[in-house]
Amino acid sequence: MSEFRSKFLEVYSLLKSELLHDSAFEFTDDSRQWVDRMLDYNVPGGKLNRGLSVIDSYKLLKQGEELSDDEVFLASALGWCIEWLQAYFLVLDDIMDNSVTRRGQPCWFRVPKVGMVAINDGIMLRNHVLRIIKNHFREKPYYVDLLDLFNEVEFQTTSGQMIDLITTLEGEKDLSKYSLPLHHRIVQYKTGYYSFYLPVACALLMAGENLDNHNDVKNILIDMGIYFQVQIGTDIEDFKCSWLVVKALELSDEEQKILLHENYGKADEDCVAKVKELYKALNLEGVFAEYESKSYEKLIKAIEVHPSDAVQAVLKSFLAKIYKRQK
């Protein structure tokens, strides 16, 4: 639990208020209310891990120095930029995937009277990121680097989403295409950059670092993202290239492969149950536990060769958060 959580939530209200009174657009009452409701519905609803990680990482980089109110505010603002970016991805993802719920409530486009207006709302959320950065960082020496960072991560995430969508196209139900390298690529681009690298990169920029000097940090964080994105969720019904199905294909005999081919990617409960039974029979939980402990050791080794204690502390705190995480 981040010590900055309540401060962080206060910053959301302030940023929202600025956006609702942006002088570049003349709001009507209706349009202001719409954006207000859209933001509250989509931005602050998650666990806020990514956003809070910016402040936590920045504090670790400052090696225990007390942060000024301004530093906490700026780190929070960048944290919220990541939460806004994620909201933009999720609002549009849910439309593409024709999803029903998100975070325990109907997807935004499923809300009465929203429908396809949600596409424009998604684009609006993306624009808000740039407005927030402009409002609070344009005088900073790292302003351009910050814009570059967000643009690059957005491009990588969008490209990851593309390979995920292309892989799961209805007509392409050919499981033999699924492999560990493909799974790694999807996870690396679709979630790794914005969930793992982006929060730390924001903190590094705020601390006056040049990101070009921190490629090793990026690689370690992306590896963390790959190791810990073993999602179960609705991956079976949605024909997702998940770590579990890739491993199942590796470990299955011919008969089990046929069972997978026949039942994977179907919304039918019986089909899903058969796939889950196969996962049990193959002891995938045990296989995963072994994979997880090996990857943990590998990551610790990679972190401990880093020359900076402060950077090591940031990476270890990330690892500790994820390693405890039980889906």
Side-chain angles (χ1 to χ4, degrees):
M1 191 66 165
S2 172
E3 59 182 293
F4 298 108
R5 196 181 184 90
S6 60
K7 257 287 188 301
F8 187 62
L9 290 166
E10 282 170 31
V11 174
Y12 168 74
S13 304
L14 200 139
L15 295 173
K16 182 176 78 163
S17 173
E18 287 175 355
L19 292 164
L20 293 176
H21 298 87
D22 193 320
S23 62
F25 177 65
E26 278 183 51
F27 282 89
T28 58
D29 287 346
D30 284 351
S31 58
R32 188 176 278 121
Q33 267 176 319
W34 180 277
V35 176
D36 191 345
R37 173 174 168 239
M38 184 271 288
L39 290 176
D40 284 350
Y41 197 93
N42 294 295
V43 178
K47 294 189 285 289
L48 308 180
N49 289 345
R50 294 169 183 81
L52 287 164
S53 295
V54 179
I55 325 176
D56 293 339
S57 300
Y58 183 69
K59 185 167 169 87
L60 289 167
L61 289 174
K62 299 300 273 189
Q63 293 183 297
E65 261 180 61
E66 208 41 51
L67 302 187
S68 70
D69 288 350
D70 191 48
E71 286 176 307
V72 173
F73 175 80
L74 290 173
S76 299
L78 288 180
W80 279 115
C81 285
I82 301 174
E83 295 293 338
W84 246 269
L85 186 73
Q86 162 154 277
Y88 148 60
F89 293 141
L90 299 185
V91 164
L92 296 182
D93 264 18
D94 285 342
I95 300 171
M96 289 179 242
D97 294 342
N98 204 21
S99 301
V100 178
T101 59
R102 157 84 57 195
R103 296 169 176 166
Q105 57 180 13
C107 299
W108 177 237
F109 81 100
R110 300 255 179 213
V111 171
K113 295 205 174 81
V114 176
M116 289 304 118
V117 180
I119 298 173
N120 194 63
D121 290 333
I123 298 166
M124 178 81 76
L125 288 162
R126 190 240 180 255
N127 278 279
H128 282 169
V129 173
L130 301 175
R131 305 305 286 170
I132 294 168
I133 293 174
K134 179 175 190 259
N135 285 340
H136 297 284
F137 295 91
R138 68 168 166 246
E139 304 301 329
K140 301 281 182 230
Y142 53 87
Y143 179 52
V144 172
D145 297 319
L146 208 46
L147 292 174
D148 269 352
L149 172 67
F150 272 86
N151 285 333
E152 186 157 299
V153 167
E154 185 194 348
F155 169 65
Q156 289 164 317
T157 308
T158 306
S159 303
Q161 171 71 348
M162 174 182 64
I163 47 176
D164 192 22
L165 290 165
I166 289 174
T167 305
T168 51
L169 276 177
E170 280 301 310
E172 300 270 2
K173 302 233 158 158
D174 177 6
L175 274 181
S176 60
K177 287 186 182 165
Y178 285 178
S179 64
L180 220 45
L182 174 65
H183 172 254
H184 281 184
R185 282 190 64 209
I186 290 172
V187 170
Q188 173 180 349
Y189 289 102
K190 190 181 169 179
T191 58
Y193 284 99
Y194 92 88
S195 301
F196 288 81
Y197 174 58
L198 184 55
V200 176
C202 284
L204 286 167
L205 285 177
M206 264 190 71
E209 293 287 328
N210 180 339
L211 294 180
D212 292 340
N213 301 337
H214 289 286
N215 270 330
D216 49 351
V217 172
K218 182 195 285 190
N219 295 333
I220 290 169
L221 286 161
I222 293 305
D223 276 348
M224 281 189 208
I226 291 169
Y227 288 134
F228 297 99
Q229 270 301 322
V230 176
Q231 304 275 1
I232 297 172
T234 58
D235 287 352
I236 296 173
E237 300 94 306
D238 295 344
F239 199 73
K240 292 287 185 205
C241 176
S242 71
W243 186 89
L244 290 167
V245 77
V246 170
K247 272 290 161 205
L249 284 165
E250 269 180 32
L251 300 168
S252 290
D253 59 28
E254 283 314 305
E255 207 174 305
Q256 290 169 318
K257 275 202 180 89
I258 292 167
L259 185 136
L260 257 182
H261 281 279
E262 285 174 353
N263 294 285
Y264 197 74
K266 299 200 169 69
D268 181 62
E269 277 177 32
D270 291 344
C271 295
V272 175
K274 280 179 189 160
V275 174
K276 284 186 175 166
E277 266 167 46
L278 177 62
Y279 286 178
K280 269 210 178 73
L282 294 169
N283 183 29
L284 281 193
E285 257 184 51
V287 175
F288 175 63
E290 188 190 345
Y291 165 76
E292 198 176 36
S293 66
K294 276 202 181 124
S295 58
Y296 182 79
E297 282 163 35
K298 191 177 142 199
L299 284 163
I300 284 286
K301 281 200 182 102
I303 292 168
E304 285 178 346
V305 298
H306 197 281
S308 155
D309 286 349
V311 172
Q312 276 201 36
V314 170
L315 294 170
K316 282 183 174 168
S317 84
F318 252 75
L319 192 54
K321 274 182 213 163
I322 313 156
Y323 200 66
K324 292 199 305 270
R325 183 185 81 157
Q326 288 299 319
K327 277 224 162 301

